[in-house]
Amino acid sequence: MIDTLEQVEKIYNTIIAVIGVPVNLVAIMILSQGKCGLSTCTTYYLVAMAAADLLVIITDVILSQVTHYYFPRSFLEITPVCSFLTLLVHTSIDCSVWFTITFSFDRFVAICCQKLKTKYCTNRTAAVVLASTWILLSLKNIPLYFVIEPKEIIDNVSWFCDSKASYYTEPGWVGFDWFATVLTPLLPFALILLLNALTVRHILVASRVRKQLRGQCKGGNHKDPEVESRRKSAILLFSISASFILLWSVAVLHFLYYNITGTNPEHYEGSLYLFQQAGFMLLSLSCCTNTFIYGVTQSKFREQFMNALKYPLLSFVELINKVRN
């Protein structure tokens, strides 16, 4: 069964790499142009999320997984290199998660806190928040470099990376593992649920009040631009949040299982190994979904995407016409 699962993972991760890199590059390109009808502040967060997802695809899927399948025994599997790569993978995943939280909080403030909105929802604040988040998460992951030990030593060269057995038994490392997983993704789970619940409550109350003020409670059909704007923001926010919750849930359950039961994940077999790998596969998928969410929920993003697809064809036709003339 494990051999079959490895073949499935090989095909799956190859597909994720082929899809994940271009879709995130497209998202970064389109959003950076600022023509999607979103505020510059919101655009900062979405571009940062796409960049973090792209880094996860590159470091975790391509360099850690796909390269191993097609180029075994490459320099990437030398212990110091893969130790550093492990640090990059965890930092990229943390940034992908916490940039989603910073975006959710920004939308919560924009929708629910009108007095704070003018001060917080600015380009400067977004840049400071994103940069600070990246720096703190990078520092938090430095200890992971020292968790790794070589799996084999061949001709005095250390190969491959294994977590030290003490990582799952020594109180210090167990505490760090709990801290790391509470930080990503247990706390984000709680924060997203809380922020979304507060946002929904505010939207419902505010919409009811505005309808009463505009006389819609008596059957009027007048559209309220403010309510429509909040609705579009809420749809984008809830879609991204729901995707995050669904795709991270298996990884969270896995963490809770091996900590409650005291099981070492290095010794998994059968269904437990399958459960663990399913969690990893869903995490990779989570780095490809946001671009599709933008396409489904944002009409102007779809418009810019179609323009990007048409541009090479139109340029080719224009070149042919010039040559003919």
Side-chain angles (χ1 to χ4, degrees):
M1 184 184 73
I2 291 180
D3 290 340
T4 302
L5 179 59
E6 288 179 351
Q7 288 300 316
V8 171
E9 289 177 346
K10 178 180 179 179
I11 297 171
Y12 177 85
N13 284 318
T14 302
I15 294 172
I16 290 294
V18 170
I19 294 176
V21 171
V23 298
N24 282 298
L25 285 175
V26 166
I28 292 171
M29 178 187 70
I30 292 176
L31 292 169
S32 298
Q33 292 177 352
K35 298 178 181 179
C36 296
L38 301 169
S39 68
T40 308
C41 175
T42 300
T43 300
Y44 276 22
Y45 288 108
L46 296 182
V47 169
M49 289 163 60
D53 287 344
L54 177 62
L55 286 176
V56 174
I57 297 295
I58 292 173
T59 58
D60 189 23
V61 178
I62 296 178
L63 296 182
S64 297
Q65 304 293 332
V66 175
T67 303
H68 171 73
Y69 299 138
Y70 297 101
F71 306 100
R73 295 278 182 175
S74 71
F75 78 97
L76 293 172
E77 295 184 334
I78 298 174
T79 303
V81 177
C82 70
S83 297
F84 182 68
L85 185 58
T86 298
L87 190 154
L88 292 181
V89 167
H90 282 82
T91 301
S92 300
I93 291 174
D94 285 349
C95 286
S96 176
V97 172
W98 278 95
F99 287 170
T100 303
I101 301 303
T102 57
F103 165 72
S104 300
F105 184 75
D106 175 80
R107 291 300 84 201
F108 165 75
V109 172
I111 295 172
C112 304
C113 309
Q114 295 302 307
K115 292 183 179 179
L116 182 60
K117 176 181 177 179
T118 54
K119 294 182 178 180
Y120 184 83
C121 299
T122 64
N123 301 344
R124 176 182 172 82
T125 299
V128 170
V129 168
L130 291 169
S132 300
T133 301
W134 174 74
I135 291 171
L136 291 174
L137 292 173
S138 298
L139 294 174
K140 166 258 177 185
N141 284 307
I142 288 177
L144 290 174
Y145 186 85
F146 304 100
V147 171
I148 304 301
E149 64 181 4
K151 189 174 183 179
E152 298 178 10
I153 297 179
I154 303 174
D155 296 331
N156 293 323
V157 177
S158 301
W159 285 91
F160 309 114
C161 288
D162 267 355
S163 298
K164 295 178 180 177
S166 59
Y167 183 72
Y168 300 100
T169 56
E170 289 187 2
W173 284 122
V174 171
F176 175 80
D177 189 40
W178 266 99
F179 168 73
T181 309
V182 167
L183 195 65
T184 305
L186 296 184
L187 182 58
F189 258 59
L191 288 175
I192 281 182
L193 291 173
L194 175 62
L195 291 172
N196 285 354
L198 292 174
T199 302
V200 168
R201 178 179 176 275
H202 177 84
I203 289 175
L204 292 176
V205 172
S207 297
R208 190 180 304 119
V209 171
R210 291 183 69 88
K211 283 182 179 180
Q212 291 174 350
L213 292 175
R214 294 172 63 91
Q216 291 191 358
C217 59
K218 295 182 179 180
N221 294 319
H222 308 290
K223 287 188 176 181
D224 187 339
E226 179 66 21
V227 171
E228 188 68 14
S229 175
R230 290 181 180 179
R231 186 185 67 84
K232 290 181 179 179
S233 294
I235 289 174
L236 178 61
L237 171 62
F238 298 152
S239 299
I240 292 174
S241 300
S243 172
F244 172 81
I245 293 290
L246 290 173
L247 296 176
W248 273 85
S249 57
V250 174
V252 172
L253 291 174
H254 167 248
F255 167 79
L256 295 174
Y257 171 81
Y258 80 70
N259 275 279
I260 292 172
T261 62
T263 307
N264 187 339
E266 300 287 340
H267 302 153
Y268 279 173
E269 294 180 353
S271 58
L272 286 178
Y273 180 77
L274 180 62
F275 180 65
Q276 179 191 40
Q277 297 307 110
F280 293 153
M281 293 167 72
L282 289 174
L283 294 189
S284 300
L285 180 60
S286 70
C287 295
C288 303
T289 56
N290 282 348
T291 301
F292 296 102
I293 290 173
Y294 304 151
V296 171
T297 62
Q298 304 293 308
S299 58
K300 290 188 177 181
F301 183 91
R302 291 196 300 272
E303 181 183 336
Q304 293 299 314
F305 178 72
M306 294 306 298
N307 289 339
L309 291 180
K310 294 176 183 177
Y311 181 77
L313 179 60
L314 294 176
S315 298
F316 179 73
V317 172
E318 184 179 347
L319 178 63
I320 294 298
N321 290 333
K322 286 182 179 180
V323 171
R324 288 179 176 178
N325 295 332

